[in-house]
Amino acid sequence: MKRMLLVVVAMVVSLICLSVAKAGDVSVKVRMTTGPQDPPTTTFASNTPKLYAIFKTEGAKTGDKIRGALIAEDVGDVAPANTKVLETILDMEGDTDAGDFNFSRPTNNWPVGKYRVEIYVNDELATAAKFTIKAVKKKSSDEEEEESGD
């Protein structure tokens, strides 16, 4: 009888621990854009001034740390695969519908290639968004003459 009672108590304690762990989880959804009001995209031009990772959280609490890391997955000879390029940490004050991490363009434009933004909550990976940077198309000399009004 005591053994049965111990098993029941152990099961109840396990269920309580599971629900507490689940209650502590934070859900994060992210979309990449060229600006806070712009539509989502997965392809950016190499001269895009800023890349935005707009995120929404559910379950975030005051004091939670949300970290956004920009990773260059494959940019050829510019950097080794999966190089962390930039990182920002935010202190949360509860949930948000419009949090953002933004990353400014390097002086010589973004290197062409594949990237991802990883978002961590209290040092645990919550989500990631993959995207591509493509070369800017150069104008031909005929197009430049038309645009200059000559």
Side-chain angles (χ1 to χ4, degrees):
M1 190 69 159
K2 283 185 178 181
R3 182 175 255 187
M4 180 66 135
L5 182 60
L6 287 174
V7 170
V8 170
V9 169
M11 288 176 57
V12 169
V13 169
S14 294
L15 288 173
I16 290 171
C17 289
L18 285 175
S19 65
V20 169
K22 185 66 177 162
D25 288 350
V26 178
S27 164
V28 180
K29 293 181 181 175
V30 64
R31 63 185 171 87
M32 297 300 299
T33 72
T34 54
Q37 304 303 318
D38 297 341
T41 187
T42 57
T43 304
F44 298 89
S46 60
N47 65 349
T48 302
K50 279 191 179 183
L51 307 177
Y52 287 83
I54 308 295
F55 65 90
K56 176 181 179 175
T57 62
E58 287 184 22
K61 295 175 183 58
T62 298
D64 282 344
K65 305 269 188 223
I66 306 280
R67 177 169 44 106
L70 176 62
I71 310 293
E73 287 184 349
D74 181 3
V75 291
D77 294 338
V78 176
N82 297 307
T83 297
K84 186 188 309 178
V85 179
L86 298 166
E87 184 175 63
T88 303
I89 299 173
L90 303 174
D91 290 319
M92 296 300 293
E93 295 179 8
D95 278 329
T96 181
D97 285 337
D100 80 79
F101 292 107
N102 60 77
F103 306 101
S104 295
R105 176 185 67 214
T107 304
N108 295 323
N109 289 339
W110 295 103
V112 172
K114 294 181 181 181
Y115 294 78
R116 72 180 179 273
V117 170
E118 296 177 343
I119 298 182
Y120 295 81
V121 177
N122 299 324
D123 292 325
E124 290 187 36
L125 181 62
T127 192
K130 294 186 176 213
F131 60 95
T132 303
I133 303 275
K134 297 207 174 192
V136 176
K137 293 181 182 175
K138 294 187 178 183
K139 296 177 184 176
S140 70
S141 57
D142 290 343
E143 287 176 308
E144 288 176 10
E145 284 181 18
E146 279 180 23
E147 289 183 11
S148 66
D150 294 337

